[in-house]
Amino acid sequence: FVRWSPIVGRFAVGSGARLLSICYFDPEHNWWVSTHIKKPIRTTILCVDWHPSNHLIAVGSCDFKCRIFSAALKETNDKPETSGWMPKLSKFATPLAEFSTQGWVHSVKFSPSGERLAWVSHDASINIVHMDNHESVIRSLTPSLPLLTVVWASEESVVCGGHNNFPSLYNIIGGTSLSGGARLDVKEKKAGGGMSAMARFQQLDRTGDDSKGSSLDTTHQNCIVELRIMKASGATCSQFSSIGMDGKLVMWNLDALATSISGLKI
Amino acid sequence: MSKNVNSTQFRTVDVDAYDEDNYEDDNREVESVGAAEVTERANQVRGLLNQLKSKEALKIALQNPPVGNKDASLKEQNYETVLSVLKSFKAADIDGAVSELDMTEVDVLMKYLYKGFTCSPDKAANLLQWHEKVVAKGGLGSIVRVMVDRKGI
């Protein structure tokens, strides 16, 4: 899993080798140098996200934990500031926070301002924590199959997708709870009635069953693997795209959906 | 043909034990529920069932399960408590009872249902009725959480 940092200059690599490498360019040797964060991580790293300030990095791994490390490097003259995540200036690779869930952490993301961290895990839950209060993690147990990816649509809402085949939007209410996921994939009633006689017999021949066909009523026919923001005005996302195991790349227009689905608030 | 090495004892060595980087599960015992609390809960539940207050009995039975506790008999006891409550419900009442549970309780109930499927297959019919209603409430996510849970309930 590889990610460029938001303020370009370095990238992070997380892998099954149980360590996180932060790599930066060394002009002296004309070479990209990597430094490792190894200590507390003991399992495969599944996802990595940089904090907007470039100094912190969040890691989700297979030991059911999501951790935040300081990624400020002396070699590149980083001047980190203290924040809710890092109350005092820490050296590189200091673990700053650790959160547990009951399943593999599939995706982790910092909010646009960096104040909140959201992650989804294999126990079908979405977790959000604010930097000022590490103890209170907002945990929402979803009624659907596990989610694989999460992105922030604004400071107060996240869009997630995964094995349930459709993206859904969750809002943070009052800083303490998540509202139920609004399904962003509106089912359209397929107009047009039966199959032609020939198609019917063909299907009877092929599958022994002359019922309609077996496509799901969601846009994606298989799980959503990743969501990415396409267009964002400031901190609020207006369009995002999703790719799925069915091979489709779908672009979603959040603004249009907001007006068409009543009660949807970004 | 060349003679094989005399001893094949090396095949029986557990290589993982020598691996320094070997991952060990978090074996910390979570503050687990003590025996006293489990017995007290069993009594409370029995009392409520005698008074025919099944819904309250269900809620109490699902509180604070002895998760990850090393003592298997404790878990058995709690399991029997929950089972007795589930038996006492009439088919028509299950719906109402499930709708009153919150998400954590739904998860715990689901875990007990699956434990029931494995431990007492003779009660499967009753458990299946419950399962249908619980899935309607908790969705597939609650089943996923049962599968993913490493510390047995």
Side-chain angles (χ1 to χ4, degrees):
Chain A
F1 201 91
V2 186
R3 278 278 180 272
W4 281 102
S5 63
I7 307 168
V8 181
R10 63 194 77 152
F11 60 92
V13 185
S15 68
R18 295 179 290 204
L19 46 80
L20 181 67
S21 301
I22 314 270
C23 315
Y24 60 93
F25 189 66
D26 186 359
E28 246 179 67
H29 297 110
N30 202 17
W31 187 258
W32 287 84
V33 181
S34 82
T35 39
H36 297 312
I37 299 180
K38 189 170 173 147
K39 251 318 163 147
I41 308 178
R42 294 172 306 153
T43 55
T44 308
I45 294 176
L46 289 174
C47 51
V48 164
D49 191 41
W50 287 89
H51 187 265
S53 73
N54 232 34
H55 302 307
L56 301 169
I57 194 155
V59 170
S61 58
C62 282
D63 58 354
F64 312 162
K65 295 208 199 325
C66 173
R67 297 186 173 91
I68 302 185
F69 295 98
S70 156
L73 290 167
K74 275 202 317 285
E75 291 88 339
T76 48
N77 299 326
D78 268 345
K79 287 185 184 44
E81 297 123 16
T82 56
S83 66
W85 296 118
M86 186 157 68
K88 43 187 227 291
L89 297 180
S90 331
K91 325 199 293 242
F92 181 72
T94 336
L96 296 166
E98 186 176 292
F99 308 103
S100 316
T101 46
Q102 292 238 310
W104 289 3
V105 180
H106 283 298
S107 173
V108 67
K109 283 282 184 328
F110 274 107
S111 67
S113 68
E115 285 182 11
R116 286 204 172 99
L117 182 68
W119 66 95
V120 282
S121 85
H122 206 73
D123 64 344
S125 71
I126 307 174
N127 305 276
I128 298 188
V129 69
H130 192 275
M131 69 175 183
D132 290 329
N133 191 349
H134 291 191
E135 302 300 313
S136 69
V137 178
I138 309 174
R139 183 159 183 248
S140 168
L141 305 173
T142 64
S144 62
L145 295 174
L147 298 161
L148 291 175
T149 171
V150 65
V151 288
W152 287 85
S154 73
E155 265 309 305
E156 302 283 318
S157 57
V158 287
V159 178
C160 355
H163 288 282
N164 55 6
N165 306 349
F166 57 83
S168 45
L169 178 73
Y170 285 82
N171 300 77
I172 303 179
I173 313 225
T176 47
S177 60
L178 278 187
S179 80
R183 181 175 156 144
L184 293 177
D185 192 357
V186 181
K187 285 189 254 204
E188 277 165 23
K189 288 209 176 43
K190 289 201 177 61
M195 302 194 292
S196 71
M198 168 136 139
R200 207 181 214 114
F201 279 113
Q202 265 185 343
Q203 184 141 57
L204 197 55
D205 208 21
R206 199 183 308 140
T207 58
D209 175 26
D210 59 355
S211 60
K212 248 325 167 45
S214 58
S215 64
L216 299 172
D217 59 3
T218 50
T219 309
H220 273 288
Q221 298 295 304
N222 206 319
C223 65
I224 294 182
V225 174
E226 195 168 346
L227 291 173
R228 291 257 184 139
I229 300 190
M230 269 170 53
K231 227 191 264 184
S233 46
T236 319
C237 156
S238 58
Q239 284 184 3
F240 65 92
S241 61
S242 64
I243 45 168
M245 294 276 266
D246 55 350
K248 283 193 193 160
L249 170 71
V250 183
M251 297 186 280
W252 306 82
N253 191 334
L254 207 51
D255 293 331
L257 286 168
T259 47
S260 67
I261 305 176
S262 62
L264 191 73
K265 186 176 69 102
I266 301 181
Chain B
M1 290 299 284
S2 60
K3 203 161 95 171
N4 200 353
V5 168
N6 280 330
S7 163
T8 48
Q9 279 284 300
F10 67 89
R11 294 184 189 278
T12 56
V13 168
D14 176 21
V15 183
D16 284 335
Y18 295 106
D19 183 12
E20 296 156 355
D21 282 335
N22 201 16
Y23 177 71
E24 268 153 25
D25 239 343
D26 234 346
N27 280 327
R28 281 176 301 179
E29 185 148 325
V30 185
E31 278 132 47
S32 30
V33 177
E37 184 172 336
V38 173
T39 14
E40 185 197 311
R41 201 176 322 141
N43 292 331
Q44 247 187 323
V45 166
R46 211 175 308 131
L48 285 171
L49 285 178
N50 287 335
Q51 298 171 27
L52 296 178
K53 288 210 187 115
S54 307
K55 283 190 195 166
E56 283 88 351
L58 181 65
K59 278 208 169 242
I60 296 195
L62 295 176
Q63 299 295 326
N64 258 340
V67 174
N69 202 326
K70 299 264 173 55
D71 191 359
S73 61
L74 211 58
K75 294 190 190 182
E76 269 304 307
Q77 200 183 2
N78 215 37
Y79 169 61
E80 293 297 324
T81 315
V82 175
L83 216 58
S84 62
V85 178
L86 295 183
K87 262 193 307 197
S88 74
F89 272 82
K90 287 196 285 288
D93 297 334
I94 298 182
D95 228 343
V98 170
S99 55
E100 283 184 17
L101 300 173
D102 69 24
M103 290 307 272
T104 6
E105 288 165 348
V106 164
D107 278 353
V108 175
L109 178 56
M110 198 50 127
K111 292 196 182 118
Y112 276 116
L113 286 179
Y114 274 88
K115 184 168 173 145
F117 288 140
T118 37
C119 301
S120 359
D122 45 320
K123 302 206 180 50
N126 188 14
L127 295 174
L128 275 172
Q129 282 181 319
W130 277 93
H131 188 265
E132 188 194 338
K133 301 285 188 276
V134 179
V135 167
K137 173 105 201 254
L140 298 169
S142 59
I143 302 184
V144 170
R145 260 161 262 142
V146 173
M147 302 288 146
V148 157
D149 184 30
R150 302 203 66 154
K151 305 191 185 94
I153 196 175

